[in-house]
């Protein structure tokens, strides 16, 4: 398959990227087409849709998978060395489910699927026409293989059931982001960071209240701790990517 575009946003690393699309609507992602597909006619009519499907590649996993069982989430290194079961983090990392019954990134074919809201079709001087979308669960630089319109009359199923994922759909942390640490950070970035943190970027099997986690987003590096249902930001610094 050919890469047609790349995602551009503030997620400099995998840690902190939302586990599902739509969880952090404050995060805006630019879909920047590669020169070969930077053709305005290919997007004719796309602004009539409110939402899009993105098909993309788990590029970071392809780069750093090095062993068959390298983490509690049940990773595997490639389509030639794959595991039929994985251990979803949201089940505590100790219960196995079939890989095709999960959205684990470690699959025979490292392909992801995300539903995003289209905010704007934007003309730019340097990148041509880009798509501004909301709610993407993609790291900066993620390769995109295809874009398709979301059709509510076929793609939306009100009667659908969500399996074990339903148990955690409303899970969120309360974020304590002290005013002194927010000083100097644009309000839009504060809102993005707050949504990202409330979705709990930690591995689900971590419950150490003394552990300090680090996250990089939008040119900032911050550290936080979690006690119970409250996440407290303890340090923020500007970070050069």
């Amino acid at each position: 398959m050919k890469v047609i575009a790349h995602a551009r946003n503030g997620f400099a690393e995998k840690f902190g990227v939302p586990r599902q699309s739509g969880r952090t609507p404050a995060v805006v992602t630019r879909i920047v087409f590669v020169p070969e597909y930077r053709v305005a006619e290919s997007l004719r009519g796309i602004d009539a849709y409110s939402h899009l499907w993105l098909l993309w590649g788990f590029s970071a996993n392809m780069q750093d998978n090095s062993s068959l069982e390298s983490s509690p989430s049940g990773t595997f290194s490639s389509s030639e060395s794959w595991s039929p079961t994985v251990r979803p983090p949201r089940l505590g990392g100790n219960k196995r489910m079939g890989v095709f019954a999960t959205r684990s990134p470690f699959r025979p074919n490292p392909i992801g699927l995300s539903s995003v809201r289209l905010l704007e079709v934007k003309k730019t001087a340097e990148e041509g026409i880009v798509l501004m979308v909301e709610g993407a669960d993609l790291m900066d630089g993620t390769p995109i293989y295809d874009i398709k319109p979301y059709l509510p009359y076929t793609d939306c199923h009100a009667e659908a059931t969500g399996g074990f994922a339903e148990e955690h759909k409303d899970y969120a942390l309360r974020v304590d982001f002290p005013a002194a640490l927010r000083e100097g950070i644009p309000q839009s970035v504060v809102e993005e960071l707050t949504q990202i943190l409330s979705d709990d970027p930690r591995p689900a099997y971590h419950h150490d209240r003394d552990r300090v986690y680090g996250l990089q987003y939008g040119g900032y590096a911050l550290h936080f701790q979690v006690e119970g249902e409250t996440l407290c930001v303890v340090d923020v610094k500007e970070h050069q990517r």
Side-chain angles (χ1 to χ4, degrees):
M1 293 189 293
K2 295 183 178 180
V3 174
I4 65 165
H6 292 91
R8 295 299 178 192
N9 56 30
F11 290 112
E13 57 185 7
K14 288 191 295 182
F15 187 76
V17 174
R19 294 180 175 86
Q20 304 293 341
S21 57
R23 296 286 293 181
T24 55
V27 175
V28 175
T29 297
R30 300 190 340 271
I31 306 301
V32 181
F33 291 87
V34 301
E36 181 181 356
Y37 299 102
R38 202 170 289 176
V39 181
E41 287 77 7
S42 68
L43 297 173
R44 183 181 299 159
I46 200 169
D47 56 356
Y49 299 97
S50 64
H51 293 73
L52 303 171
W53 290 111
L54 304 180
L55 281 80
W56 48 276
F58 287 101
S59 53
N61 288 348
M62 290 185 278
Q63 294 168 6
D64 64 15
N65 283 351
S66 59
S67 65
L68 182 58
E69 285 282 321
S70 60
S71 83
S73 60
T75 67
F76 48 89
S77 60
S78 71
S79 59
E80 298 172 356
S81 177
W82 72 287
S83 172
T85 62
V86 294
R87 287 181 278 186
R90 280 296 163 213
L91 292 180
N94 54 17
K95 182 177 181 180
R96 286 193 171 276
M97 303 293 287
V99 64
F100 301 126
T102 74
R103 292 192 174 187
S104 167
F106 303 100
R107 327 181 65 80
N109 292 305
I111 299 172
L113 176 69
S114 298
S115 172
V116 298
R117 181 184 177 193
L118 177 61
L119 300 175
E120 182 183 3
V121 181
K122 186 175 183 179
K123 294 182 180 180
T124 71
E126 295 184 355
E127 300 172 331
I129 297 182
V130 302
L131 302 179
M132 309 296 290
V133 302
E134 168 189 286
D137 51 342
L138 308 177
M139 197 172 93
D140 183 64
T142 295
I144 296 173
Y145 298 124
D146 202 4
I147 300 170
K148 301 178 187 291
Y150 176 97
L151 303 179
Y153 75 94
T154 60
D155 296 347
C156 180
H157 302 279
E159 75 284 5
T161 58
F164 70 85
E166 287 285 314
E167 301 173 15
H168 307 281
K169 66 177 183 178
D170 297 322
Y171 173 79
L173 294 174
R174 187 183 73 85
V175 177
D176 180 6
F177 200 154
L181 296 180
R182 299 197 307 266
E183 188 174 347
I185 303 177
Q187 181 58 31
S188 61
V189 177
V190 171
E191 293 176 2
E192 293 166 10
L193 285 169
T194 300
Q195 284 193 358
I196 293 166
L197 294 171
S198 70
D199 201 35
D200 195 353
R202 303 173 302 161
Y205 45 86
H206 281 195
H207 302 286
D208 183 358
R209 67 180 185 179
D210 295 322
R211 183 164 183 165
V212 178
Y213 297 86
L215 181 147
Q216 297 178 23
Y217 177 82
Y220 294 91
L222 64 147
H223 293 87
F224 64 89
Q225 292 177 290
V226 179
E227 181 173 359
E229 300 299 313
T230 299
L231 181 150
C232 183
V233 179
V234 297
D235 181 61
V236 181
K237 294 179 180 178
E238 290 194 40
H239 181 266
Q240 298 297 322
R241 297 172 58 179

